[in-house]
């Protein structure tokens, strides 16, 4: 679920630059920190997280759509970010 929230906020950041807020940035940072902590505690989760990115992306698009009012077709058809980008503290689309 943390991946879903992270991806949704990255999508919102990318598609609505005029609405970028410190709150969105804070949520992105928090989710990344929590994901990193989970992966540090249980490294075996990493392959499962990577394998589940497609499903996480579909749910993230629905979440981003609901939070922005944008139609789901306004978002890329597949995950536009690598796992490295998702977890990179400096990456913002």
């Amino acid at each position: 679920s943390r991946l879903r929230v992270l991806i949704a906020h990255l999508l919102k950041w990318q598609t609505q630059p005029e609405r970028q807020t410190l709150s969105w940035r804070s949520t992105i940072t928090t989710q990344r920190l929590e994901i990193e902590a989970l992966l540090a505690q249980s490294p075996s989760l990493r392959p499962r997280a990577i394998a589940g990115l497609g499903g996480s992306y579909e749910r993230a698009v629905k979440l981003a759509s609901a939070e922005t009012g944008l139609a789901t077709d306004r978002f890329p058809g597949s995950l536009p970010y690598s796992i490295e980008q998702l977890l990179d503290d400096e990456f913002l689309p």
Side-chain angles (χ1 to χ4, degrees):
S1 75
R2 293 198 179 277
L3 275 172
R4 181 183 71 237
V5 172
L6 172 60
I7 294 167
H9 274 75
L10 289 172
L11 288 170
K12 289 167 40 174
W13 191 272
Q14 180 176 346
T15 59
Q16 294 189 312
E18 71 284 352
R19 296 187 62 197
Q20 294 171 353
T21 64
L22 289 177
S23 175
W24 286 3
R25 181 70 170 117
S26 176
T27 298
I28 290 167
T29 299
T30 299
Q31 296 309 312
R32 284 178 169 154
L33 290 171
E34 293 298 326
I35 292 166
E36 291 282 345
L38 287 169
L39 293 176
Q41 290 173 359
S42 301
S44 63
L45 289 177
R46 190 177 189 88
R48 287 180 35 198
I50 293 169
L53 281 176
S56 293
Y57 182 68
E58 291 173 9
R59 292 187 301 278
V61 166
K62 290 178 184 176
L63 178 61
S65 175
E67 291 180 354
T68 62
L70 297 174
T72 57
D73 65 0
R74 292 279 312 270
F75 300 98
S78 61
L79 180 64
Y81 322 118
S82 68
I83 189 70
E84 291 80 15
Q85 289 173 316
L86 290 174
L87 299 179
D88 181 350
D89 293 337
E90 301 300 317
F91 173 75
L92 287 171

